[in-house]
Amino acid sequence: MTTPEQQDQLIDYCLRLGDNCLILGHRVSEWCGHAPILEEDIAMANVALDLIGQARLWLDLAGSLEGKGRDADALAYLRDAGDFRNLLLVEQPNGDFGQTLMRQFLFDLWHDFALDALTRSEDTRVQEVALKARKEVSYHLTRSRDLVVRLGDGSAESHERMQAALEELWPFTGELVTPDALDRSLSEAGIAADLAVVGPKWRAAAEAVLQEATLTPPDAGWMQEGGKAGRHGEHLGFILAEMQFLQRAYPGAQW
């Protein structure tokens, strides 16, 4: 049984996980019809659909725990930017195809480790969602890892683009692996992933893949706080303006 304080924390934690999937799923969906080759267009559309499906699971759980009658749709479309708890990494612009793939790989690797830990959560509701989501995320990671290695260790141009993408995105990865008070509280209760364990695993695995891809992480310091604390830049605002337009303009509209 969770305490009332842990219940509130678990709602916020589910929002974090759901918002990560929702915002990244929307970003990836922007490539639909624009990817460089047909196979990648289809693959990215499938990844986006997987992420949106995972977002629904986490947001529905958050809504049921909250008990205010808000479902996944309400939480996705009727919250303002300051109420979103996604990592800053997932809202970064698509850029070129290399930047999109690097963003995906850095997140997929963390997501896989985090979900693996959550499959052993003391909260069976969290455990059930994690078990469903990890099957899809394992595929996402296999794909993004393979493409990062192939392009990083590919032509001079592909290497240059992947290195530029890594330097652009690496500073946002600190937030992936740096626990805050909520992370620590729920991990101590056996509910959330322990980022003190996930972090070193993620760093070692990321550096191994990047070395295989002949890519070098920059020396720039990591951002350790941001989106999951409700602090966002202009990127999230632009995403929400596009994503929420229909529901904001026509409240309660349904197909």
Side-chain angles (χ1 to χ4, degrees):
M1 293 291 292
T2 57
T3 66
E5 181 181 7
Q6 288 173 337
Q7 180 87 346
D8 290 340
Q9 291 174 336
L10 182 53
I11 293 169
D12 201 0
Y13 190 69
C14 289
L15 289 175
R16 292 182 181 189
L17 295 168
D19 289 347
N20 285 338
C21 296
L22 177 66
I23 298 304
L24 183 57
H26 184 80
R27 274 296 193 211
V28 175
S29 75
E30 294 172 356
W31 276 101
C32 188
H34 301 283
I37 57 174
L38 181 59
E39 288 83 355
E40 276 305 304
D41 203 297
I42 295 170
M44 296 188 78
N46 285 331
V47 168
L49 286 170
D50 287 345
L51 289 168
I52 297 300
Q54 293 164 27
R56 175 172 287 280
L57 293 174
W58 289 119
L59 295 180
D60 272 337
L61 178 55
S64 67
L65 292 169
E66 182 185 58
K68 297 181 180 179
R70 296 198 295 180
D71 60 8
D73 287 336
L75 289 169
Y77 295 128
L78 301 178
R79 282 183 296 152
D80 293 330
D83 296 323
F84 275 73
R85 294 293 179 265
N86 60 278
L87 298 160
L88 291 176
L89 175 67
V90 300
E91 67 186 61
Q92 297 310 301
N94 287 332
D96 64 17
F97 196 60
Q99 188 165 345
T100 291
L101 288 176
M102 182 59 69
R103 183 188 62 201
Q104 192 70 40
F105 164 69
L106 295 172
F107 177 76
D108 286 346
L109 185 62
W110 173 84
H111 204 192
D112 190 59
F113 280 126
L115 288 174
D116 177 57
L118 292 176
T119 61
R120 296 182 293 277
S121 173
E122 293 292 329
D123 190 298
T124 56
R125 297 162 298 187
V126 171
Q127 186 182 117
E128 288 171 1
V129 175
L131 284 167
K132 292 178 182 178
R134 190 166 184 240
K135 295 176 183 178
E136 296 172 338
V137 171
S138 294
Y139 160 73
H140 297 175
L141 176 58
T142 297
R143 173 182 167 274
S144 61
R145 180 199 178 281
D146 178 63
L147 287 169
V148 164
V149 170
R150 288 165 60 190
L151 292 174
D153 194 30
S155 68
E157 181 179 359
S158 70
H159 174 84
E160 181 180 350
R161 285 176 180 261
M162 295 306 291
Q163 183 64 43
L166 179 60
E167 292 174 4
E168 176 73 21
L169 296 169
W170 186 255
F172 295 101
T173 59
E175 193 182 14
L176 295 172
V177 296
T178 304
D180 62 7
L182 185 150
D183 292 313
R184 288 190 290 269
S185 176
L186 289 183
S187 65
E188 288 169 3
I191 297 172
D194 186 351
L195 295 186
V197 174
V198 169
K201 289 181 178 179
W202 177 90
R203 179 79 185 247
E207 290 181 345
V209 172
L210 294 173
Q211 183 177 14
E212 185 179 355
T214 67
L215 299 171
T216 305
D219 294 329
W222 281 359
M223 296 180 184
Q224 296 184 356
E225 294 181 344
K228 65 183 182 182
R231 292 187 288 276
H232 299 274
E234 63 182 10
H235 300 309
L236 182 64
F238 285 128
I239 292 170
L240 296 184
E242 181 178 71
M243 187 177 75
Q244 296 181 337
F245 173 77
L246 183 62
Q247 271 296 342
R248 296 285 191 175
Y250 304 98
Q254 295 181 348
W255 290 105

